[in-house]
Amino acid sequence: MQTDLTQGSITRHLLGMAAFIGVGLIFQTLYYLVDLYFVGHLGAAAIAGVGLAGIAFFLAMALGQMVGVGSLSLIARAIGAKRPEETDAVYRQSLLISLGLSLVVLVGGYLAAGPAMGLLAADEATHQAATHYLYGFIPALAMMFPTGAMASALRAAGVVRQPMLIQSATVIMNIILAPILIAGWGTGVPLGVFGAGLATTLASLIGLVGFALMFERVQTLIRAPLRLAQPDLAVSGRIIGIGLPSAGEFALMFLTGLVVYAVIGHFGPEAQAGYGVGSRVMQAIFLPAMAIAFAVAPVAGQNFGAGQADRVRETVKRAALFGSALMLGLFAFCQISPHALVAPFSADPAVVDVAATFLRIISLNFLPSALIFTASGAFQALGDTRPALIGSASRLITFAVPAIWMSTQPWAQLHYVWMLSAASVVLHALIVLALLQRQLRIKLVGLSPAPDAVSASA
């Protein structure tokens, strides 16, 4: 059943939602770690190829954010303001847009996979591995959109436990399928990197069906989750208006990933493979702070819709505190033993060394990253994600341009790229924190509770 996040303890709401969101994110990340583990036995080119293909995930996420962020923000505020008709209307349009994006990804993905990977791969073996992985993985990217539309609506309503259970089940299925399809266990027909992508696609299909069957049972605001409505340009425009800057933010992450792969390609396939391993492990490490940040949007969003400015501010402050404390602990671990985190994913010492060095240096940005995640959740709750886009765009100036220039210099070394990246994230955090303070002042001034909202202390 949906949860009223405008009443009760903010800490309990944040940590309670973050716990379930975090477990769901962990299982989602396990998709890629399981694939990476089995692909790791296929050699450095296979690892590099899967890692390189992973940047397509950021491009799909950019499109998904455009819908998911916008709909979550509007639905959470509509729930807080007690406007059920608006809740339903926003969800219907988000589903319609999501299905359109699924078609775009399916067609565009298969047309562009080979040429795009060929431009970025360090050698032909990496190019082939990346392309074959994407051929199996693209349907999973397409199914991400309707699943994401349902997940965003549920998170806006405070429903996180049941989606986590479905995500857990899909990962268990992926774990079962990965060795069968990648290595040919029990079939004698190994599909290699294509099998890794196919395993994720089959598991994603199970997840989509599970979400559709579960949706009506866990909330009462939206019925018939797959029923489509007529296009409503006004509502769709509001969704895209809020979500587009977030889409741009992920698109910039995609571009940054392209720059990294292009720059480190000069150092050989071991560098790309090591970065692929290190970046996947880093994503897993970020999960605690991301889980808390993901809880900020519905908690602060419902309270913003209900006109409770003090609870919005308190939500942001506590999320920043909890996320920072978690990331400081993880930073210490990465400084002490980064090899232990990456060694299971490759038997190649050169790949492991690159990945461990990457983690040790990039962990310097764990704390600022936690603050960036929190600010992003707050911007979503306030219905204006442009400041997050501005912060991400700063990295094109502070990281991408210097990295491209540095790659042409004879004195350049691989770890210089990681140091530059860490420094650029610190500047990114300073920018978004300044913009967040400004947004809170503008959005919360004069905000008053709705007539039927009940105030409660944290």
Side-chain angles (χ1 to χ4, degrees), residues 39 42-51 123-130 193 269-270 273:
V39 168
L42 302 178
I47 298 174
V50 172
D123 57 19
E124 183 57 26
T126 300
H127 171 208
Q128 292 299 320
V193 291
E270 290 80 10

Side-chain angles (χ1 to χ4, degrees), residues 70-276:
S71 62
L72 187 150
S73 177
L74 292 173
I75 291 173
R77 286 187 285 162
I79 292 172
K82 307 296 189 293
R83 296 195 294 264
E85 297 84 3
E86 182 178 347
T87 297
D88 187 81
V90 171
Y91 170 74
R92 301 294 170 197
Q93 294 306 305
S94 73
L95 182 63
L96 196 62
I97 299 170
S98 295
L99 293 175
L101 291 175
S102 294
L103 182 60
V104 170
V105 166
L106 273 176
V107 176
Y110 281 112
L111 290 176
M117 295 300 100
L119 291 174
L120 298 170
D123 57 19
E124 183 57 26
T126 300
H127 171 208
Q128 292 299 320
T131 303
H132 292 161
Y133 177 76
L134 279 178
Y135 284 164
F137 186 58
I138 286 170
L141 294 178
M143 285 184 281
M144 182 176 70
F145 298 108
T147 302
M150 289 185 277
S152 292
L154 293 177
R155 184 149 56 96
V159 179
V160 290
R161 181 172 66 89
Q162 292 86 351
M164 180 272 295
L165 293 175
I166 291 178
Q167 287 177 326
S168 303
T170 61
V171 170
I172 292 172
M173 182 56 63
N174 191 51
I175 291 173
I176 294 171
L177 290 172
I180 296 172
L181 297 176
I182 297 172
W185 288 11
T187 66
V189 184
L191 299 178
V193 291
F194 174 78
L198 182 60
T200 302
T201 287
L202 294 175
S204 297
L205 178 60
I206 293 172
L208 175 60
V209 173
F211 263 90
L213 294 176
M214 168 268 295
F215 194 87
E216 279 191 284
R217 301 180 182 181
V218 297
Q219 52 80 44
T220 59
L221 296 170
I222 301 169
R223 296 298 186 186
L226 298 182
R227 177 173 57 82
L228 298 179
Q230 292 294 321
D232 187 325
L233 296 181
V235 176
S236 296
R238 292 176 65 200
I239 293 172
I240 294 173
I242 295 174
L244 190 58
S246 287
E249 185 181 2
F250 267 77
L252 289 173
M253 293 172 63
F254 170 74
L255 289 176
T256 301
L258 291 181
V259 169
V260 172
Y261 271 103
V263 167
I264 67 176
H266 298 291
F267 298 97
E270 290 80 10
Q272 289 189 334
Y275 173 69

Side-chain angles (χ1 to χ4, degrees), residues 323-350:
S324 297
L326 284 169
M327 294 305 276
L328 282 173
L330 292 168
F331 159 76
F333 188 80
C334 286
Q335 291 297 306
I336 295 170
S337 186
H339 281 80
L341 294 171
V342 299
F345 302 105
S346 177
D348 188 330

